[in-house]
Amino acid sequence: MNDADGNAFVDRTYRSEDGLSLHLRDYDPGPRAASRLPVICLPGLTRNSRDFHQLAVILSQDDTAPRRVISLDYRGRGLSDWDEKTENYNVRTEAQDVLAACDYFGIEKAVFVGTSRGGLILHFLAEMRPELLAAAILNDIGPEIEAKGLMRIRDDLNDGTSPQNRAEAVAMLKRRHGAHFSVLGDQDWEDMAAAIYREVDGRLAADADPAIAKQLTSIDFSKPLPTLWRHFEAFGERPLMVIRGENSELLAEAAAAEMTMRHPGLRVVVAPGQGHPPLLHSEPALSCIRQLLNEI
């Protein structure tokens, strides 16, 4: 399949252990990438494979070192089946779905990029199957989450607002996030709207099961949020990078500093003028991702 710009990817499906049809985008440059590890991209809580389109095109069509890039839709997101058992919308089950995708496509080792929820899933994968991770890139996420940022996500996802068209979607995203993303241009906002919303029966709809966002309303923010420091230790000495938005409300500077203390080889990249989560095809994130890939 080609997108509007003629950039090639293939839609593929596989089955979860409990029988759901799950979707992914496969940006495969063919034999030119056969000697290089693939890159597997894991999106945020209610996001989908389209979030990584620009990054996937850049990496898969690189002139000198193209790589296969696979971007997943978790259950309940994008073109994947929704789960009637909404309790299955959890990080461990979604991590198991990622493993099922790797098993189905015969991927024994890869470089993983995890945005927000995707980064939490990577913490679980590091414990469940550490040999699968050649390196990991955590996009604005770590083992400790700021309650303020998660509350903002909860409120944004559950406010009931539904844009009528693409222009309304872009305007709404600018109102919500413009203060945290001062460096974004008009095309960036258009791309964000195209990734988040899909036309269903002539109207735009957020491309995820509403039950996923509703789960956030049951969190008791009067209590400390659980942490994943034990899981973080499972990354061991493998190459690890964290990209933090300068204006992020989800990953605090103190948490990033603690991650560096516990993993001396960790590279921390700050994305100026961006909040949660930074765009990975923008600088300096893109150059740092390429550098890490070239070192693998």
Side-chain angles (χ1 to χ4, degrees):
M1 176 184 288
N2 293 336
D3 73 348
D5 299 318
N7 298 312
F9 61 88
V10 176
D11 287 305
R12 301 192 187 279
T13 59
Y14 65 101
R15 290 281 174 182
S16 66
E17 288 187 347
D18 52 354
L20 296 182
S21 176
L22 304 181
H23 168 264
L24 56 79
R25 283 185 170 192
D26 189 354
Y27 299 77
D28 190 353
R32 294 189 304 140
S35 64
R36 301 181 189 92
L37 292 173
V39 176
I40 298 180
C41 298
L42 308 179
L45 177 65
T46 58
R47 306 293 282 266
N48 58 75
S49 58
R50 297 193 299 276
D51 264 356
F52 297 98
H53 177 69
Q54 290 81 6
L55 176 68
V57 169
I58 291 169
L59 298 182
S60 63
Q61 298 185 4
D62 186 87
D63 289 336
T64 58
R67 288 178 185 267
R68 184 185 186 185
V69 180
I70 294 172
S71 180
L72 276 66
D73 287 343
Y74 313 132
R75 60 179 65 207
R77 289 84 155 181
L79 300 180
S80 291
D81 285 348
W82 290 12
D83 197 330
E84 294 181 357
K85 299 178 179 178
T86 57
E87 64 271 17
N88 287 334
Y89 293 134
N90 65 73
V91 175
R92 181 170 291 279
T93 297
E94 290 157 15
Q96 192 60 56
D97 290 342
V98 175
L99 295 180
C102 293
D103 291 342
Y104 183 83
F105 292 101
I107 296 172
E108 297 180 350
K109 190 177 287 290
V111 177
F112 283 81
V113 180
T115 293
S116 196
R117 173 81 154 216
L120 299 181
I121 290 173
L122 283 181
H123 282 71
F124 276 73
L125 293 180
E127 278 204 333
M128 296 164 73
R129 195 181 296 179
E131 68 275 11
L132 182 63
L133 278 62
I137 299 169
L138 304 173
N139 186 19
D140 211 55
I141 195 67
E144 190 170 306
I145 295 175
E146 290 296 293
K148 180 181 179 181
L150 192 56
M151 291 170 69
R152 175 186 286 273
I153 293 172
R154 175 201 62 189
D155 295 343
D156 285 346
L157 294 178
N158 289 283
D159 74 348
T161 304
S162 180
Q164 299 298 306
N165 52 53
R166 185 61 56 80
E168 283 191 15
V170 170
M172 185 176 71
L173 290 172
K174 285 183 177 180
R175 286 196 305 272
R176 286 180 174 175
H177 308 296
H180 293 87
F181 286 89
S182 58
V183 299
L184 267 58
D186 289 341
Q187 188 60 53
D188 295 320
W189 292 110
E190 291 280 353
D191 292 341
M192 188 183 298
I196 294 174
Y197 297 98
R198 182 160 57 96
E199 188 172 306
V200 179
D201 297 328
R203 298 186 63 179
L204 289 186
D207 209 2
D209 185 342
I212 299 168
K214 188 177 180 181
Q215 286 181 337
L216 297 181
T217 63
S218 65
I219 298 175
D220 183 356
F221 284 98
S222 68
K223 300 177 181 179
L225 295 174
T227 67
L228 295 177
W229 288 111
R230 176 176 61 83
H231 299 74
F232 181 77
E233 300 296 338
F235 284 116
E237 297 182 358
R238 60 183 43 78
L240 185 63
M241 176 187 295
V242 60
I243 298 167
R244 181 182 178 274
E246 178 185 32
N247 304 320
S248 176
E249 291 183 320
L250 200 73
L251 178 62
E253 289 185 71
E258 178 68 17
M259 292 165 71
T260 302
M261 290 286 292
R262 298 196 186 204
H263 191 296
L266 176 70
R267 309 179 198 188
V268 178
V269 179
V270 176
Q274 297 199 58
H276 178 79
L279 305 184
L280 296 179
H281 57 280
S282 65
E283 297 296 351
L286 178 59
S287 292
C288 293
I289 291 171
R290 280 179 145 163
Q291 180 180 354
L292 178 64
L293 291 173
N294 289 336
E295 294 173 359
I296 300 297

